[in-house]
Amino acid sequence: MAPYTVIVAAALRRNSLKHSHFRRRCLHSAIDYPLSHPIYTIWASNTSLGKTLVSAGLSISFLSPSPSPPFPKRRFVYLKPIQTGFPHDSDSAFLYRKFCQLYASKSLPFSVFASNSVFRASLPAANEVLGNGSVDDGVEVGFGLKNLHWYEERKLQGTESNGVEHFPVSEAICKTLHAWKEAVSPHLAAEREGAMVSDSEVLDLLRRCLETDTVETTEEVEVMSVIETAGGVASPGPSGSLQCDLYRPFRLPGILVGDGRLGGISGTISAYESLTLRGYDIAAVVFEDHGLMNEVPLLSYFRNRVPVLVLPSIPKDMSDDLISWFNKSKTVFTSLKEIMLSTFQERTKRLHEMPKKSCDAFWWPFTQHKLVSEEKVTVIDSRSGENFAVLKSSDMISEQFDACASWWTQGPDANLQIELAKDMGYTAARYGHVMFPENVYEPALKLAELLLEGVGKGKCTY
């Protein structure tokens, strides 16, 4: 079946009211992010599977030094765009405290500045932090939201500093961007607390945080950033958009925290397919061992396309604040970190090589090839709606409007693009390829009927 047939059929049968509803809650926000360092999204196949434990393990693994000097300055950035149950449940605060505990248990030679901050909170959540009535001093940033301006930090002293720093001081930065008090799904918390946040607001603040982490780098520093989602892959965000759709304009590479429990194989595969259907790249799957050997069928399913890592079982006795568990998990987190770094390096290398390789291998129509230098080749990483994500200079992915799109790609926004991908996947899985003459199958017949009821009404002759 021709791809354009599927696309036109899907576009014609979409409910216009549903489409306009998506437009209202998914307002456009410019997407730019640096390629100077690895940035990953931490996903999970369900809630309460250990995303924050994985983030905490990565923080100590990334900031741990090499066996001997020199110790480079490093910065680990943890971003939590959406947090409910705040402040009693705060993933950035958990990671901040856990990193400090892990650092103290390791006696590292260099010092680290650890910080935790909260940007915006609903009025009930802000009251919990500042006390009743104190939120009036804050700056209102939207209906029912306040700039919380809440910040804490600690300098963790290295064993060889003694008041004088002999090595660069690294950083562990934790940030919560939006917080609500009630421990429910974000769309419910936002509605109940009267603190709605649009998709574009979530993405814009996230983009500015990613920019800040790079712009403020005035010295040689190695950086890793992780963005931890809330709940599962398809859990709603504050506007009601599924988070796998909400973060799609960035299309950052991801780590999927799977499920090692009974039923976890199906949940992990379903989450993975939901992400890949939307164009995400998953660098690794990691999950807690529950003694069911879920990794065996998962490795068979992934066929070595995606590494599967298994963490030790979390002990029921947490009297040592999980310090022993993190120590047992050290090799797994080291492997995960190395996978993330190598995948990032491979991706950036591939993007940077594409202009030259395309000039050597491609024949472009309507083009004087001798006049096309490598610098003039536009490297397209992905597309979201009517905008490409393209490589700008050597260290930035930026948004670029597709001004010369073909007739069947111009028009669909990011939400309709996902709907088209689902319809195309369904049709390809159901039919594969069908030669059309003297055959009939449902999508082609439906498309013909729609056309004859609309623009072709009364114009068909046999």
Side-chain angles (χ1 to χ4, degrees), residues 262-332:
L262 181 64
I265 297 169
S266 175
T268 302
I269 292 174
S270 296
Y272 173 81
E273 291 189 345
S274 292
L275 292 170
T276 54
L277 178 66
R278 288 164 170 80
Y280 290 102
D281 296 320
I282 302 302
V285 174
V286 58
F287 61 87
E288 177 197 355
D289 182 20
H290 285 265
L292 300 177
M293 300 186 68
N294 283 8
E295 65 273 18
V296 176
L298 287 175
L299 282 168
S300 175
Y301 168 78
F302 290 124
R303 299 177 184 174
N304 298 319
R305 292 172 297 180
V306 180
V308 178
L309 306 177
V310 182
L311 290 163
S313 298
I314 298 173
K316 295 181 180 179
D317 179 11
M318 298 189 185
S319 56
D320 71 341
D321 291 322
L322 292 176
I323 299 300
S324 297
W325 181 83
F326 276 103
N327 289 333
K328 290 180 182 178
S329 306
K330 178 181 177 181
T331 55
V332 178

Side-chain angles (χ1 to χ4, degrees), residues 5 31 40 396 413:
T5 304
I31 300 301
Y40 280 85
M396 183 68 67
D413 66 4

Side-chain angles (χ1 to χ4, degrees), residues 219-404:
E219 55 187 313
E220 192 70 25
V221 56
E222 298 177 8
V223 182
M224 174 180 282
S225 298
V226 298
I227 301 162
E228 185 180 305
T229 59
V233 163
S235 294
S239 76
S241 297
L242 306 185
Q243 288 181 70
C244 50
D245 296 336
L246 166 59
Y247 296 112
R248 174 55 182 81
F250 278 105
R251 207 196 72 89
L252 293 166
I255 301 298
L256 176 61
V257 180
D259 192 345
R261 301 172 300 184
L262 181 64
I265 297 169
S266 175
T268 302
I269 292 174
S270 296
Y272 173 81
E273 291 189 345
S274 292
L275 292 170
T276 54
L277 178 66
R278 288 164 170 80
Y280 290 102
D281 296 320
I282 302 302
V285 174
V286 58
F287 61 87
E288 177 197 355
D289 182 20
H290 285 265
L292 300 177
M293 300 186 68
N294 283 8
E295 65 273 18
V296 176
L298 287 175
L299 282 168
S300 175
Y301 168 78
F302 290 124
R303 299 177 184 174
N304 298 319
R305 292 172 297 180
V306 180
V308 178
L309 306 177
V310 182
L311 290 163
S313 298
I314 298 173
K316 295 181 180 179
D317 179 11
M318 298 189 185
S319 56
D320 71 341
D321 291 322
L322 292 176
I323 299 300
S324 297
W325 181 83
F326 276 103
N327 289 333
K328 290 180 182 178
S329 306
K330 178 181 177 181
T331 55
V332 178
F333 287 124
T334 299
S335 297
L336 181 58
K337 176 196 68 176
E338 294 302 326
I339 290 170
M340 294 166 71
L341 292 175
S342 63
T343 302
F344 165 74
Q345 292 167 355
E346 290 169 6
R347 180 194 180 199
T348 53
K349 179 183 179 183
R350 187 167 61 252
L351 287 171
H352 292 147
E353 289 177 345
M354 285 173 68
K356 182 180 186 308
K357 289 187 174 182
S358 65
C359 288
D360 294 339
F362 281 0
W363 179 87
W364 288 295
F366 318 116
T367 301
Q368 295 292 328
H369 288 70
K370 292 183 179 180
L371 301 179
V372 180
S373 63
E374 293 180 23
E375 294 75 18
K376 292 183 179 180
V377 176
T378 299
V379 178
I380 300 172
D381 179 67
S382 64
R383 181 192 187 96
S384 180
E386 295 185 303
N387 298 286
F388 289 126
V390 303
L391 179 66
K392 291 288 187 181
S393 64
S394 61
D395 60 355
M396 183 68 67
I397 293 290
S398 298
E399 189 177 80
Q400 179 173 298
F401 178 67
D402 183 10
C404 56

Side-chain angles (χ1 to χ4, degrees), residues 146-165:
K146 292 285 185 179
N147 269 332
L148 196 56
H149 302 302
W150 195 86
Y151 181 84
E152 60 181 332
E153 71 171 13
R154 288 179 60 184
K155 183 177 182 181
L156 308 171
Q157 206 72 29
T159 57
E160 298 185 20
S161 59
N162 297 321
V164 179
E165 299 297 344

